[in-house]
Amino acid sequence: MHFRLFVCLVALLLPTVPGRAQLKWDNPAQQFQRTPADEGIEAFYTFRNVGKLPVTITGLRASCGCTTPHLEKKTYAPGETGTVTARFVFGDRKGPQHKTIEVSTDEEGAPPVVLDLRVLIHDPLSIEPTLVYWKRGEPGEAKTMQLTAEAGQPVRIKNVISSNPRLPAKLVTVKAGESYVVSVKPADTAQKEVGEIFVLTDFPADAPRTYILQARVK
Amino acid sequence: MIARLLRQLAFVLVLALAPALVSGAWQLAWKKEEPLAPGEVRLATAREWGDKVQWVDARSRAKYERTHLPGALLLNEDEWDTLVKPFIDEWDSDKTLVVYCDGGTCDASHAVAARIRKELSIPDVYVLKGGFAEWEGK
């Protein structure tokens, strides 16, 4: 009697117990360092079906439209290996990036596996902020933007030019090749003003880059 | 004999009730509103702000062109360098920015909001909880 009751109980509870994942991933979290010039990266996530039944991958969902996951085929027999390829296109992204790809399978009760992709996109020159603004009527005090070259990668600022003479920009060298300040002081804040500040650098030597900063009286 | 059978049946039903109650409680908890992460705002709150809100669409240009929230400005990381100037030109410094992406697991709204705060030094920025899907009522 007790045995029958036990069987009933197990039968009732069985669907609530999560299954054991059959796909074993070699390196589900990957990190890279790149520059904006690389434009993108491909990461490869290999796995093996270590279970006794075929597994079908039913869905791949990336956390960002910039990341496209790809799989050669969907169903993997026991012992078979496969690879999820994730193509991350940088666009105009900078700094630390964290993208994920959620992999769902037909394994009953198994939660989706989350693949992790971290990329540090180095820009040789970091600028903060890239916008200075004043509200109309606000005191027209000078506002600054900090320019910092990455350690070991000197970037010299050759000049700064403002497109609007009513929003003049001044370059202050804190440490040549390493640290600079661009200071903008409006003539006044009585009316709307639009200005672009062109920062001329010597990097890279073959095609020196110009950064464009923004100044406004709103 | 029948009484015994009924007792056993009642016993099995009581046993079955326990996981059912746990599962029900779990479902109810799951349906409860997720807590807001730092910098997020619910749609209802943003609607209460009315005209003070400037929507910012952090999705792709194609999705923005297909449909977007009323008056939304396009600013995404794919084309940040191109879009940031027109965004600044259109931005009204008296309005609160609310950034959205698709919803679900999308992270573009948080990334764009972070860049607006850090790179543009605009502090009054929120992320719409649930994103565009929330607006569409999905």
Side-chain angles (χ1 to χ4, degrees), chain A residues 1 4-5 8-9 12-13 16 61-66 89-94 97-100 102 127-133 135 194 196 209 214 216 218, chain B residues 4 8 11-12 15-16 19 23 76-82 84-94 104-108 111 115 118-123:
Chain A
M1 184 63 228
R4 270 186 287 169
L5 269 175
C8 284
L9 187 61
L12 283 165
L13 292 175
T16 66
R61 193 167 65 166
S63 62
C64 173
C66 57
V89 178
F90 298 160
D92 291 331
R93 290 169 183 80
K94 292 173 190 169
Q97 305 292 321
H98 181 205
K99 308 299 170 196
T100 57
E102 208 175 84
I127 306 173
E128 276 180 34
T130 56
L131 164 70
V132 286
Y133 64 93
K135 288 186 180 185
V194 176
E196 286 190 300
R209 196 170 159 191
Q214 305 292 332
R216 298 285 189 280
K218 299 292 282 184
Chain B
R4 194 177 156 196
Q8 285 175 0
F11 181 65
V12 169
L15 281 175
S23 173
N76 60 47
E77 287 205 290
D78 294 330
E79 302 178 79
W80 179 275
D81 294 347
T82 309
V84 75
K85 184 178 180 293
F87 169 79
I88 292 167
D89 288 338
E90 291 293 323
W91 163 62
D92 179 341
S93 60
D94 290 326
T105 58
C106 84
D107 58 8
R115 285 186 77 167
K118 193 177 175 193
E119 292 183 29
L120 306 184
S121 270
I122 298 173

Side-chain angles (χ1 to χ4, degrees), chain A residues 73-114:
Chain A
K73 60 175 194 166
K74 288 186 174 177
T75 302
Y76 294 82
E80 195 175 358
T81 58
T83 303
V84 170
T85 305
R87 168 89 181 143
F88 170 29
V89 178
F90 298 160
D92 291 331
R93 290 169 183 80
K94 292 173 190 169
Q97 305 292 321
H98 181 205
K99 308 299 170 196
T100 57
I101 299 119
E102 208 175 84
V103 183
S104 306
T105 68
D106 64 349
E107 297 168 83
E108 199 172 317
V113 171
V114 178

